[in-house]
Amino acid sequence: ATPPAAPVRPYGDAAQRSLRVHGLIQRATRDELSAEALDKAVRAAADAVLAAWPAAETAADHRVLRANADALDAHAGPRLWTTGAHPVLVRAAQSLWESGAVVASVGYTRRLYEAAAHHLGAAHPDTLAVRGDLALRQGRAGDWAKAAEETAGLLAERQRTLGPAHPETLLTQRDLASWLANGRD
């Protein structure tokens, strides 16, 4: 007779499930890969970090994941923008916001917007989405003037690229009216 199978249990806590690679090994690996192989490795690493991100905000896991996203951005920079903004960058900004790090989230989102505009152009849909996130976070943080200013720029770009009757343009007009109304209170 075959003995019963042992129950499958997750291995260790989050720290034990993580993988760490010494900086010198990382550098040597990056230096030895072809451009094509490095592009694939960056995409795989970014996809893996995003896939590991739990839905609920837990401080320890998310700090590690945000640190991984930052390291990818620092070392892979433009490779995370080849087909648009890699979602791990947007998720890191969202995670900062959800964790209550309002000022850090606004700053991160501003840098993300600047990077998107640089790599993708001002009219790219990902750039416009990040700009909308920036305005929203500024407004919810209480800086209605900055939110209105950013939303006005976003509105001009959406009117130019999407037209005045496009649903995204109309939603942006509504947002601008809201930030302007809040600023008058």
Side-chain angles (χ1 to χ4, degrees), residues 11-65:
Y11 174 73
D13 63 16
Q16 291 173 320
R17 288 190 312 262
S18 63
L19 173 67
R20 294 177 188 234
V21 178
H22 192 278
L24 290 174
I25 302 298
Q26 293 176 34
R27 174 72 189 262
T29 302
R30 284 192 306 270
D31 289 349
E32 291 300 316
L33 289 176
S34 69
E36 182 181 341
L38 187 55
D39 286 344
K40 288 178 182 178
V42 165
R43 173 98 16 217
D47 290 347
V49 171
L50 186 63
W53 221 296
E57 186 69 34
T58 59
D61 287 345
H62 285 237
R63 263 194 312 273
V64 170
L65 292 166

Side-chain angles (χ1 to χ4, degrees), residues 141-155:
D143 193 346
W144 297 309
K146 283 283 191 193
E149 179 183 326
E150 205 60 64
T151 304
L154 177 61
L155 177 60

Side-chain angles (χ1 to χ4, degrees), residues 19-171:
L19 173 67
R20 294 177 188 234
V21 178
H22 192 278
L24 290 174
I25 302 298
Q26 293 176 34
R27 174 72 189 262
T29 302
R30 284 192 306 270
D31 289 349
E32 291 300 316
L33 289 176
S34 69
E36 182 181 341
L38 187 55
D39 286 344
K40 288 178 182 178
V42 165
R43 173 98 16 217
D47 290 347
V49 171
L50 186 63
W53 221 296
E57 186 69 34
T58 59
D61 287 345
H62 285 237
R63 263 194 312 273
V64 170
L65 292 166
R66 286 192 302 266
N68 280 286
D70 288 346
L72 274 167
D73 189 29
H75 294 291
R79 286 181 161 82
L80 293 171
W81 298 94
T82 56
T83 59
H86 192 284
V88 76
L89 299 171
V90 176
R91 184 63 184 100
Q94 180 185 352
S95 174
L96 275 171
W97 181 263
E98 291 170 355
S99 74
V102 174
V103 173
S105 176
V106 170
Y108 184 96
T109 307
R110 172 158 297 288
R111 290 187 303 279
L112 187 61
Y113 164 65
E114 291 166 356
H118 172 76
H119 292 292
L120 305 173
H124 191 279
D126 289 354
T127 304
L128 297 176
V130 172
R131 193 172 192 181
D133 289 346
L134 174 59
L136 178 67
R137 290 186 179 123
Q138 288 171 321
R140 290 193 176 159
D143 193 346
W144 297 309
K146 283 283 191 193
E149 179 183 326
E150 205 60 64
T151 304
L154 177 61
L155 177 60
E157 194 61 46
R158 283 196 166 144
Q159 286 173 329
R160 187 180 73 72
T161 58
L162 301 175
H166 190 278
E168 289 295 323
T169 303
L170 298 173
L171 289 171

